[in-house]
Amino acid sequence: SYEVTQPLSVSVALGQTARITCAGNNIGSKNVHWYQQKPGQAPVLVIYRDTNRPSVIPARMSGSNSGNTATLTISRAQAGDEADYYCQVWDSSVIFGGGTKLTVL
Amino acid sequence: QVQLQESGPGLVKPSETLSLTCTVSGDSISSYYWSWIRQPPGKGLEWLGYIYYTGITNYNASLQSRVTISIATSRNQFSLTLSSVTTADTAIYYCAHGRDYFFDYWGQGTLVTVSS
């Protein structure tokens, strides 16, 4: 079965750019979606189909997908961006990455 | 804006059946996909399955023998049953609205504990 791999944790200095990766075999051929989950809350969709943002998500969040890696990029990181981030693909089944904890220093 | 609300018992005994219902408001359930996703305490997300409004289902292969998702369009609800539960099924259970195999609206989640 298809698998996607995320780093357990990523740290970023306040105001800098964070990049969270999602690795999978030829993931560039799939649609990748990203969710943000803050403690005690339900996940929130932040990027869908690789690069698209829901209207309520700030433009500081962007996505890319090519080859074997999809990336969620968060520019000008803020304290409020601290959360767990999950990538998700479809491969005859819904598959979530294990999640990445983003820490803003 | 679609809103979803999970309901059901918060405590289930081992070997029994877990049953949850998701009530949808703000839109008709007669469109798109409706999913159940769970999250054990401190762990990641696990998709359980979805139901299309026509009644077509697709389940996580690892749980397929124990999971059933059904839909009641007249009540704008869909439901989850998970049989023969063990402590490993303790989790927050979310219902979600699916579009093109991603989830744009989620319920707040409900914690189900499996314990005797």
Side-chain angles (χ1 to χ4, degrees), chain A:
Chain A
S1 62
Y2 192 80
E3 293 184 358
V4 293
T5 302
Q6 298 181 237
L8 283 176
S9 63
V10 168
S11 297
V12 62
L14 186 68
Q16 297 304 302
T17 298
R19 293 178 179 85
I20 299 172
T21 58
C22 179
N25 185 34
N26 198 26
I27 198 172
S29 66
K30 303 182 183 300
N31 287 317
V32 178
H33 320 292
W34 291 92
Y35 304 87
Q36 175 194 67
Q37 186 180 33
K38 296 182 179 179
Q41 298 183 19
V44 172
L45 179 71
V46 294
I47 295 289
Y48 63 96
R49 294 194 210 111
D50 298 338
T51 61
N52 297 278
R53 274 181 298 106
S55 58
V56 297
I57 301 302
R60 300 185 298 105
M61 293 198 175
S62 62
S64 63
N65 185 17
S66 179
N68 294 319
T69 305
T71 303
L72 172 68
T73 300
I74 304 173
S75 304
R76 301 183 299 283
Q78 302 175 358
D81 297 328
E82 278 207 347
D84 293 326
Y85 290 84
Y86 294 90
C87 62
Q88 179 244 309
V89 300
W90 168 262
D91 184 74
S92 301
S93 178
V94 171
I95 297 166
F96 287 102
T100 298
K101 182 176 182 59
L102 177 67
T103 300
V104 179
L105 304 172

Side-chain angles (χ1 to χ4, degrees), chain B residues 9-19 38 41 66 82-93 111-116:
Chain B
L11 181 64
V12 181
K13 289 182 168 54
S15 80
E16 295 189 346
T17 296
L18 178 160
S19 296
R38 70 180 182 180
R66 298 197 293 131
L82 181 66
S83 63
S84 304
V85 297
T86 70
T87 55
D89 295 309
T90 293
I92 297 173
Y93 285 76
L111 175 62
V112 179
T113 301
V114 178
S115 175
S116 55

Side-chain angles (χ1 to χ4, degrees), chain B residues 33-115:
Chain B
Y33 298 84
W34 304 93
S35 271
W36 288 96
I37 296 158
R38 70 180 182 180
Q39 185 172 36
K43 296 188 178 181
L45 301 169
E46 180 180 33
W47 175 73
L48 302 182
Y50 72 64
I51 188 164
Y52 195 49
Y53 73 97
T54 59
I56 294 171
T57 55
N58 188 346
Y59 299 130
N60 185 324
S62 67
L63 295 164
Q64 186 161 5
S65 63
R66 298 197 293 131
V67 173
T68 302
I69 299 176
S70 57
I71 194 165
T73 53
S74 61
R75 294 195 298 273
N76 239 36
Q77 294 177 332
F78 64 106
S79 298
L80 168 74
T81 62
L82 181 66
S83 63
S84 304
V85 297
T86 70
T87 55
D89 295 309
T90 293
I92 297 173
Y93 285 76
Y94 296 100
C95 58
H97 170 274
R99 180 195 300 264
D100 289 345
Y101 305 117
F102 62 87
F103 308 104
D104 50 358
Y105 297 104
W106 296 61
Q108 66 186 23
T110 187
L111 175 62
V112 179
T113 301
V114 178
S115 175

